[in-house]
Every structure is written in structure tokens, then in C-alpha cells.
Amino acid sequence: MFTRAEKIELVLVALAVCGLALWSDRLPFSLELGSALAIGALALLGQGLMRDLWLLNRQRSIGGKEVKHEELRCMCLESTIGLAGVLAGVVLTAAAVTLRVKLAAWFWPSAGATVWIAGFLIKDVVIQWSPWRLRRVKDHGSILVRWR
């Protein structure tokens, strides 16, 4: 069903959500929309970064076995969504959109759980653009991205 690494990631997500629940009274009760989008996107990108660092460490620890590289015209869905969210947040902030979002105490753990579970579910999905499709590629860090 789940690999050992996936089980560990789910436990870490649960611990992070519990941490947000414990600290939610110390977190802001309102944010500008741009900031809220950027924070969520950075949480998603941070999760992917931690996973990628773990994968690199695991590859190094297996003794330098040759990793099979596949060439694709694609981009990681998790990174694409994260980058789009950060850019949207920056654009909203730069455009001086001051729409404030009021946040209840339960918002922070709920948002954390939503973002990190979504990140877990899409971690192996890439957007391939030639031909166009979504494709599941396990541990796709070994893919050589080609733009043409």
C-alpha cells in the first residue's frame, strides 16, 4: 500500500498539523489575500523541498548506483501549483490588493492539513506537454526536463 517513506511523510504531516493546532492562537487572525496565497503555496513548496532533499540523501546513501534518467517534456504538478500560488500572491501584493481574509483559530490546522495532504496526493504527478497529459512518475527527480 504505502511505502515506508510515504508513511513517514504522513506522520510528519500529522505532526505539523498538530503543531499548527497548538500554535494557532499565536498566528494571525487576518491576512491580506496575497499573503494567504503565498503562505499556502510556500507550505506546499516546502513540503516538496523536504521530500526532494530526503530523496537526494537516499540516492547518495545507496552507494551511487546509476539512476535511470528519462527525458520528458514535463513539469512537476506540485511545483507548478506552488510557483503559481507564490506568483499570484506577489502580484496581488504588488497590485496593492488589500482585501483582508479573516481567519478563525481552526483555519490554520485545516489549511495546513489541506495543503499538505494535497501535496502528498500529487507528489508523483507531472504535467507533460508533448503530448498533453497528466502522468504519474514515481520519484520524478531523475527526469531530465526538455522544453522542446
Side-chain angles (χ1 to χ4, degrees), residues 57-133:
N57 186 44
R58 187 181 77 176
Q59 283 178 351
R60 186 177 305 134
S61 69
I62 61 175
K65 283 186 183 176
E66 185 62 33
V67 178
K68 180 183 171 191
H69 293 287
E70 181 180 4
E71 290 187 21
L72 286 175
R73 294 179 181 115
C74 67
M75 184 155 175
C76 172
L77 180 62
E78 184 179 29
S79 298
T80 302
I81 292 171
L83 180 60
V86 169
L87 290 176
V90 168
V91 166
L92 287 172
T93 301
V97 175
T98 58
L99 178 63
R100 292 197 73 80
V101 180
K102 296 207 183 278
L103 310 172
W106 55 264
F107 170 80
W108 291 104
S110 300
T114 301
V115 167
W116 291 322
I117 290 171
F120 177 80
L121 294 174
I122 65 172
K123 69 180 173 9
D124 293 328
V125 179
V126 296
I127 303 169
Q128 183 176 319
W129 54 81
S130 181
W132 168 254
R133 68 180 177 158

